Amino acid sequence: MRMRADTSATSMTRFVFDPVPVPSLPVLRSQDRVPVRRIFCVGRNYEEHAKEMGIAVDRETPFYFTKSPSAVALSGTTIAYPPGTSNYHHEMELVVVIGAPAFWVEMGAALSKVYGYCCGLDMTRRDLQLSERAKQRPWDLGKDVEMGAVLSGVAPAASIGHPQHGRIELRCNGATRQSADIAELVWSVPELIAHLSCFYHLAPGDLIYTGTPAGVGPVEPGDRLDGSIEGVGEISVVIGAPDGG
Ligand code: MN
């Protein structure tokens, strides 16, 4: 049985601070929105990207890090160049939107828990990620970056199905930086959901960034990123002025 701490607000709750609004993503061709619950990200899920990061793909088990839901920035906006880095990188990714409770889900049932898919940019302070990695420290400063979880509108699986292949691309100021096929994912979407659901009660609004293909690279203030995933959608963002030091 699932134990839950009683942390819910009621109509009688008097907050000492205004609660943070729930971040949400538009559903494509709809007025509906997806509330974002948690953001899981898979590391090294394309072999060529693992190689460019200097580490072989681990075929034993996938691994994860997380981003805060408050880090969500919507496609079509301008995001600040964050403080604390001089090597801010783009990572173009297919993102899975969970639409039903999933706990200890079998692979064969995993896709029935998916609401839809969108494009995501896992923006990364690469200098800090690599220095943390070298010191065997957590990656939070490298990965959990304010405005660093850029997301497009969501394409419902009811409309587009469950894409197994299709071109995933990212252009910076019109020049192609990343180009691969989502069929190259080391761990497939059903495998990821089955595995992650052994550790978490996945629930509607949970997102899974599925990993980036090769070609990650730095951005500078003023750069424009345009990404696309065949059969899913498009994403674009402009890198704004540096935010602080
Ligand atoms: Mn990533």
Side-chain angles (χ1 to χ4, degrees):
M1 190 176 140
R2 183 171 179 191
M3 303 296 286
R4 274 202 76 138
D6 181 12
T7 55
S8 302
T10 71
S11 60
M12 300 296 290
T13 303
R14 294 196 314 173
F15 290 111
V16 298
F17 310 116
D18 288 337
V20 179
V22 176
S24 64
L25 310 176
V27 176
L28 294 173
R29 287 170 285 281
S30 161
Q31 297 300 308
D32 298 341
R33 297 187 75 90
V34 169
V36 176
R37 187 166 182 266
R38 290 178 293 191
I39 305 175
F40 299 98
C41 306
V42 183
R44 293 177 212 132
N45 205 23
Y46 288 82
E47 187 149 19
E48 291 305 310
H49 171 62
K51 273 188 202 162
E52 75 180 348
M53 296 301 291
I55 292 187
V57 156
D58 182 352
R59 294 187 185 280
E60 294 293 306
T61 178
F63 77 95
Y64 310 91
F65 54 89
T66 58
K67 285 175 179 278
S68 303
S70 61
V72 167
L74 294 182
S75 177
T77 63
T78 295
I79 60 171
Y81 192 99
T85 183
S86 53
N87 196 19
Y88 197 39
H89 272 210
H90 56 74
E91 295 193 358
M92 176 67 196
E93 310 199 7
L94 172 69
V95 177
V96 180
V97 179
I98 299 294
F103 186 57
W104 280 79
V105 168
E106 307 259 347
M107 275 239 297
L111 290 181
S112 71
K113 311 301 183 187
V114 174
Y115 172 76
Y117 300 87
C118 62
C119 300
L121 288 165
D122 166 15
M123 299 303 295
T124 301
R125 290 179 177 111
R126 188 72 69 203
D127 39 5
L128 294 190
Q129 183 210 2
L130 294 180
S131 61
E132 289 164 341
R133 193 179 85 178
K135 293 173 190 160
Q136 298 189 311
R137 289 178 180 169
W139 291 5
D140 297 56
L141 291 180
K143 287 294 195 176
D144 193 10
V145 181
E146 292 171 353
M147 306 182 89
V150 186
L151 291 155
S152 73
V154 177
S159 302
I160 65 161
H162 297 278
Q164 316 277 308
H165 54 83
R167 188 110 307 247
I168 178 170
E169 282 195 341
L170 184 77
R171 295 168 294 284
C172 182
N173 302 324
T176 301
R177 291 268 187 95
Q178 298 187 266
S179 182
D181 195 293
I182 56 171
E184 297 166 34
L185 283 171
V186 174
W187 300 97
S188 69
V189 171
E191 287 172 325
L192 292 171
I193 292 171
H195 183 261
L196 194 55
S197 77
C198 294
F199 298 89
Y200 294 95
H201 292 78
L202 297 178
D206 284 339
L207 308 182
I208 306 172
Y209 275 72
T210 58
T212 197
V216 301
V219 296
E220 299 294 340
D223 283 352
R224 178 189 172 90
L225 299 174
D226 292 288
S228 56
I229 303 174
E230 195 181 343
V232 175
E234 298 182 338
I235 189 169
S236 65
V237 78
V238 171
I239 311 301
D243 179 16

